[in-house]
């Protein structure tokens, strides 16, 4: 990918742009016959790429290809999307929804948040479904049969109702986020003193398995709050903090021919055959001249893959300056030009190994998950 120079913005003007700059959103149904192009140009700020990918994912859209450029103070991103059954986007309210959702002063606590009904009938807004009125139970623990059933039974015994939640497993570890409510007649049941009690009871259930030397676990019950972290991003964070990425062999380097050949139709059949047995592969190199680390990934293509990858890079404190993502048949190909927030690239071999392992784990975690 060639270096793309972004426009220069005087630093003194950045706070004004952050306050008054409204993202430009174009829904283009003319350029491509097979998909809609969602084009976003906006003042660049920390975390905005993940917010865009997260939003498009929550809208039940399929992202088939992506081009990202955000050098300088401005970003210009293009997403090739369809709905879940392959149709273009035709809802006239969608551009306005995306604009409002990306403007900082439309966030929770700063006025009403925009809402949108997806093609699958789900009502979503920034950050996904609203769970601000729910308490939250989070846990990471060694996985075992019946674990989730035991935890939810504790909540039921304490007069709680699990409104929604998800649990993931990977490398023998389990992580979960459960959103908990009570009936109106029992509203006092979740007084702060009860949260600590429920946390102790869940800890006891988690500890009731056979003793394992060095067993680690973490359980936290928290009060309802506004603006919770997106549930699936929180699951990534929990499993990363639990170090699920440390297990297994080091990732295999990518096959460079996929990046050299691009989308040539002649390679599609070969790529499809390889993807049948494809493992997630990662190669990280440094482009010293431009000060980037170049991350190349290949894996089996699937929904929400872009979200999982961008989520992992963001939570490891890496900033994506340029990127392309697409597929050759069932094989997904991603390439990212990144720097750490402190300006470093991925300098040491140990750091490259850690970043590679974390990306592979982020791709693989979603393979086994439970939604409540």
């Amino acid at each position: 990918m060639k270096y793309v120079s972004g426009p220069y913005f005087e630093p003194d003007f950045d706070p004004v742009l952050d306050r008054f700059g409204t993202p430009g959103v174009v829904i283009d149904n003319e350029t491509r016959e097979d998909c809609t192009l969602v084009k976003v140009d906006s003042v660049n700020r920390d975390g905005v790429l993940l917010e865009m990918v997260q939003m498009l994912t929550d809208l039940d859209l399929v992202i088939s290809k992506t081009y990202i450029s955000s050098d300088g103070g401005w970003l210009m991103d293009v997403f090739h999307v369809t709905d879940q059954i392959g149709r273009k986007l035709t809802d006239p309210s969608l551009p306005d929804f995306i604009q409002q959702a990306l403007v900082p002063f439309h966030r929770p606590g700063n006025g009403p948040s925009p809402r949108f009904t997806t093609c699958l009938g789900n009502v979503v807004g920034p950050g996904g479904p609203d769970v601000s009125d729910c308490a939250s139970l989070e846990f990471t623990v060694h996985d075992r049969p019946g674990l989730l059933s035991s935890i939810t039974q504790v909540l039921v015994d304490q007069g709680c109702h699990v409104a929604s939640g998800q649990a993931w497993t990977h490398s023998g570890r389990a992580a979960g986020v459960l959103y908990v409510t009570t009936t109106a007649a029992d509203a006092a049941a979740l007084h702060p003193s009860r949260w600590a009690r429920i946390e102790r009871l869940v800890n006891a259930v988690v500890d009731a398995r056979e003793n394992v030397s060095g067993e680690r676990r973490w359980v936290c019950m928290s009060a309802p709050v506004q603006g919770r972290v997106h549930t699936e991003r929180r699951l990534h964070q929990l499993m990363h903090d639990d170090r699920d990425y440390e297990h297994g062999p080091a990732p295999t380097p990518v096959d460079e021919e996929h990046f050299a050949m691009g989308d040539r139709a002649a390679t599609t059949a070969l790529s499809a055959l390889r993807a049948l047995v494809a493992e997630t592969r990662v190669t990280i190199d440094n482009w010293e001249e431009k000060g980037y680390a170049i991350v190349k990934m290949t894996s089996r293509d699937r929904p929400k893959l872009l979200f999982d990858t961008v989520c992992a890079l963001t939570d490891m404190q890496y900033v994506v300056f340029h990127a392309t993502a697409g597929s050759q048949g069932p094989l997904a190909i991603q390439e990212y030009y990144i720097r750490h927030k402190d300006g470093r690239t991925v300098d040491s071999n140990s750091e490259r190994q850690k970043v590679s392992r974390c990306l592979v784990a982020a791709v693989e975690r979603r393979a086994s998950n439970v939604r409540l």
Side-chain angles (χ1 to χ4, degrees):
M1 179 186 297
K2 294 182 179 179
Y3 174 80
V4 178
S5 177
Y8 173 77
F9 288 89
E10 181 65 27
D12 291 342
F13 285 65
D14 284 347
V16 178
L17 289 170
D18 286 340
R19 182 177 178 184
F20 297 108
T22 301
V25 179
V26 175
I27 306 298
D28 177 2
N29 277 318
E30 304 299 324
T31 301
R32 295 290 298 265
E33 295 183 359
D34 58 340
C35 66
T36 296
L37 304 187
V38 178
K39 305 175 182 179
V40 182
D41 64 273
S42 171
V43 171
N44 195 16
R45 56 181 172 78
D46 187 32
V48 68
L49 173 60
L50 178 57
E51 290 178 19
M52 286 190 290
V53 174
Q54 176 180 297
M55 184 196 328
L56 294 174
T57 301
D58 286 342
L59 287 170
D60 295 326
L61 302 179
V62 177
I63 305 173
S64 59
K65 190 174 295 185
T66 308
Y67 299 96
I68 294 163
S69 180
S70 59
D71 259 348
W74 202 259
L75 64 85
M76 292 173 287
D77 299 342
V78 180
F79 303 91
H80 294 221
V81 303
T82 63
D83 66 15
Q84 290 288 323
I85 58 177
R87 301 175 302 187
K88 291 185 177 184
L89 313 184
T90 57
D91 192 320
S93 65
L94 185 59
D96 184 59
F97 170 82
I98 297 175
Q99 280 188 334
Q100 292 185 64
L102 292 176
V103 175
F105 48 80
H106 279 131
R107 301 289 161 76
N110 296 286
S113 298
R115 313 297 290 174
F116 189 87
T117 302
T118 75
C119 61
L120 299 182
N122 298 317
V123 179
V124 300
D130 186 8
V131 292
S132 58
D133 294 333
C134 300
S136 174
L137 174 65
E138 301 178 344
F139 61 87
T140 55
V141 65
H142 182 88
D143 188 28
R144 63 180 173 89
L147 174 67
L148 191 59
S149 176
S150 300
I151 292 174
T152 54
Q153 186 60 55
V154 171
L155 296 173
V156 171
D157 292 344
Q158 295 300 307
C160 300
H161 168 68
V162 179
S164 64
Q166 291 189 58
W168 287 359
T169 63
H170 180 246
S171 294
R173 306 295 298 171
V177 178
L178 306 180
Y179 299 112
V180 179
T181 62
T182 61
T183 63
D186 195 28
L190 284 184
H191 185 273
S193 63
R194 295 293 301 277
W195 302 328
R197 173 178 170 77
I198 294 172
E199 186 176 303
R200 288 195 300 272
L201 290 172
V202 173
N203 253 312
V205 167
V206 167
D207 196 38
R209 59 185 301 277
E210 60 273 15
N211 292 327
V212 176
S213 177
E215 171 70 5
R216 65 182 187 273
R217 66 181 185 276
W218 182 84
V219 177
C220 180
M221 186 84 181
S222 61
V225 295
Q226 292 289 327
R228 288 191 184 279
V229 175
H230 187 276
T231 303
E232 293 179 351
R233 181 181 183 186
R234 185 62 184 143
L235 284 165
H236 277 302
Q237 292 173 339
L238 290 174
M239 300 209 83
H240 179 270
D241 292 344
D242 191 59
R243 306 191 305 279
D244 69 321
Y245 57 85
E246 293 181 343
H247 303 282
T252 306
V254 301
D255 187 341
E256 291 288 345
E257 74 176 48
H258 292 299
F259 294 86
M261 293 181 179
D263 292 328
R264 291 180 185 175
T267 67
T268 301
L270 178 60
S271 298
L273 179 61
R274 290 178 175 175
L276 293 176
V277 292
E279 59 183 328
T280 303
R281 299 183 171 207
V282 181
T283 296
I284 302 177
D285 296 308
N286 284 338
W287 187 5
E288 300 292 347
E289 181 182 357
K290 300 298 184 182
Y292 294 129
I294 305 174
V295 178
K296 297 180 179 180
M297 295 181 62
T298 58
S299 65
R300 193 186 306 275
D301 195 17
R302 60 162 176 78
K304 300 188 178 183
L305 178 63
L306 183 65
F307 169 80
D308 293 337
T309 308
V310 173
C311 188
L313 290 171
T314 302
D315 286 334
M316 286 188 288
Q317 305 299 305
Y318 286 98
V319 179
V320 177
F321 289 88
H322 301 280
T324 59
S327 62
Q328 294 178 7
L331 185 70
I333 299 172
Q334 303 179 76
E335 186 172 27
Y336 297 89
Y337 289 65
I338 65 172
R339 295 189 195 115
H340 197 272
K341 280 187 176 181
D342 62 10
R344 294 182 296 107
T345 57
V346 185
D347 297 326
S348 66
N349 185 60
S350 61
E351 187 176 7
R352 280 191 290 273
Q353 283 292 317
K354 180 180 178 180
V355 173
S356 297
R357 287 178 177 271
C358 288
L359 289 170
V360 171
V363 169
E364 293 180 346
R365 286 171 191 145
R366 196 180 291 276
S368 300
N369 69 82
V370 177
R371 185 186 297 269
L372 302 175

